[in-house]
Amino acid sequence: MTRNIPDPASAEGPRSSAEHADEPFADISAQGVARVQFTQAMAQTHLAICLCDPHQDDMPVVFANRAFLQLTGYAEHEVIGRNCRMLQGPKTDPETVARIRASLANEEVLVVEIFNYRKDGSSFWNALHLGPVYDSDGKLIYFLGSQWDVSDVRAARADERHAREMARELSHRMKNMFAVIGGIVNFTGRARGIETEAREINDRIQALGRAYETTLDDSHRGTVEVGQAIRAVLAPYDRSGTRIRFEGNGLRSDFASVSVLGLALHELAVNAARSGALAQESGHVAVAWQKNTSEQGPAIRIDWTEHGSADLGNASSWAASSNDGIVDRMLDMARGGIVREWSDKGFKAALTIPLREHAD
């Protein structure tokens, strides 16, 4: 089904290619509106973006914005319905292609440079940022690929300084994209009278953006510092700097694991602010992370401990509100898990997720 989605930034001029999204605009459910908001944001950003549908044969492109078409030289009708391998050619590295396939199969985030080709046969080095997109129920709906021509940067790269410049530029572009998405979510939420649903969606978008900010700033190393990402995600819940206490070392892991942990900690912090320790003036939270080793291999373990929580006389209702399944589903998809414990002293949770200390 095709349709024209109004561009919130302009009432005139050409429409964005968001018209290929698969949910009717008339669907004003929170999830339906979120998909429309998402494709609108993708159409407006100057970063080359495409979305692929993992539920169709050969995972075809179902959306490509103007920047993608300009970068690759293809027309929209030549892109929609085809697999992104159309950008590969004789000098495309098979090992890089294998990494991309593995990240898709495992629903993991990947930042990689790949040698690609335009429609006219000219080549360019593509800084590809690939990752899964989930709906509010944790169901995979798309894979998002953002592309950036780094041919000049790569040619000029002589040392670590050039790699850092590329990472900072990519980080800046991605931060702008998250800001555009957040603005559209808020605008449409007010316009459709679903402010509560829009606020929850936007909170998760912003949490993901804070986690990604650390990964993008450090992307040239292939891994990210776990503690840096944890602090960035939880910072909005401790404006005074005294309510959340951190304890951990310089542990590093891959982008995918850190992003999932960031979103899981965001959900725990929201629950703590609503009915847990952060809802009490004297309450505080301790967050500790360390490396664990088991038969399944190395893992990141995060211990979340709330002190001075709300009155637990009604612990059963608090437990129900704190366990809506979102955290569990995210960790389960990442081959991790969570164990919760409620007691008279407060709430505890132990989160685990596979640790990958080195870039593939």
Side-chain angles (χ1 to χ4, degrees):
M1 177 180 295
T2 61
R3 65 176 188 283
N4 287 326
I5 298 176
D7 183 345
S10 174
E12 299 179 353
R15 299 297 185 185
S16 73
S17 13
E19 60 188 17
H20 285 279
D22 60 354
E23 295 293 332
F25 191 68
D27 176 6
I28 60 172
S29 67
Q31 185 164 303
V33 170
R35 291 198 185 190
V36 173
Q37 296 163 354
F38 187 84
T39 52
Q40 286 177 324
M42 297 301 98
Q44 293 178 54
T45 180
H46 294 294
L47 186 68
I49 295 287
C50 68
L51 294 176
C52 298
D53 187 348
H55 304 293
Q56 294 188 42
D57 291 340
D58 205 30
M59 202 176 299
V61 175
V62 294
F63 170 86
N65 68 355
R66 295 188 189 96
F68 180 93
L69 303 178
Q70 292 169 355
L71 173 65
T72 64
Y74 286 95
E76 187 176 47
H77 71 273
E78 297 173 314
V79 172
I80 302 302
R82 297 180 65 184
N83 187 280
C84 280
R85 73 173 66 89
M86 65 185 176
L87 300 179
Q88 298 172 19
K91 294 185 179 180
T92 302
D93 181 17
E95 292 186 5
T96 304
V97 175
R99 290 182 60 190
I100 293 173
R101 289 175 179 168
S103 69
L104 293 172
N106 297 321
E107 298 181 19
E108 294 177 341
V109 175
L110 178 68
V111 178
V112 68
E113 291 182 16
I114 183 170
F115 196 72
N116 279 160
Y117 293 81
R118 300 181 179 88
K119 180 183 177 180
D120 63 6
S122 61
S123 59
F124 66 101
W125 278 100
N126 181 7
L128 172 65
H129 186 284
L130 177 69
V133 177
Y134 301 103
D135 64 15
S136 58
D137 295 323
K139 178 184 176 183
L140 176 67
I141 52 175
Y142 299 120
F143 277 105
L144 180 148
S146 67
Q147 295 80 17
W148 176 33
D149 184 351
V150 294
S151 301
D152 292 341
V153 176
R154 189 178 178 92
R157 185 188 300 151
D159 52 28
E160 187 79 358
R161 179 176 60 85
H162 293 289
R164 289 184 179 276
E165 289 175 358
M166 185 189 73
R168 282 196 296 269
E169 176 64 18
L170 182 58
S171 174
H172 175 70
R173 291 174 181 235
M174 291 301 291
K175 290 173 191 174
N176 286 344
M177 185 181 73
F178 279 113
V180 170
I181 295 172
I184 291 178
V185 168
N186 286 334
F187 173 82
T188 310
R190 291 193 298 270
R192 294 285 177 173
I194 54 169
E195 291 90 343
T196 300
E197 292 86 349
R199 187 161 46 250
E200 291 180 357
I201 293 170
N202 202 25
D203 285 347
R204 291 186 178 118
I205 290 172
Q206 298 307 317
L208 185 61
R210 292 191 296 273
Y212 268 56
E213 180 177 338
T214 62
T215 67
L216 291 168
D217 287 340
D218 217 10
S219 63
H220 65 283
R221 297 187 59 175
T223 59
V224 62
E225 185 177 341
V226 174
Q228 182 182 3
I230 291 174
R231 289 184 174 91
V233 169
L234 297 180
Y237 302 96
D238 185 18
R239 301 295 185 185
S240 67
T242 60
R243 304 292 303 279
I244 301 179
R245 303 171 186 176
F246 301 95
E247 181 180 349
N249 51 25
L251 194 64
R252 303 184 68 86
S253 189
D254 65 319
F255 308 114
S257 295
V258 172
S259 297
V260 171
L261 285 177
L263 286 173
L265 290 173
H266 160 73
E267 299 296 328
L268 291 177
V270 169
N271 289 328
R274 288 175 177 171
S275 53
L278 299 181
Q280 307 300 306
E281 185 174 348
S282 60
H284 67 273
V285 175
V287 184
W289 60 95
Q290 61 181 339
K291 176 180 178 179
N292 269 18
T293 303
S294 65
E295 295 180 356
Q296 288 73 36
I300 305 170
R301 175 184 169 122
I302 296 182
D303 289 295
W304 173 281
T305 306
E306 298 188 21
H307 301 275
S309 299
D311 183 4
L312 295 183
N314 191 21
S316 59
S317 62
W318 181 40
S321 67
S322 302
N323 183 17
D324 58 9
I326 292 178
V327 173
D328 303 71
R329 288 195 294 272
M330 288 190 300
L331 289 171
D332 182 66
M333 286 185 291
R335 298 174 180 80
I338 181 171
V339 177
R340 299 174 176 82
E341 177 185 343
W342 288 270
S343 69
D344 292 340
K345 296 181 179 180
F347 169 68
K348 295 182 179 181
L351 296 77
T352 57
I353 197 169
L355 169 65
R356 301 178 184 88
E357 298 177 278
H358 305 285
D360 294 334

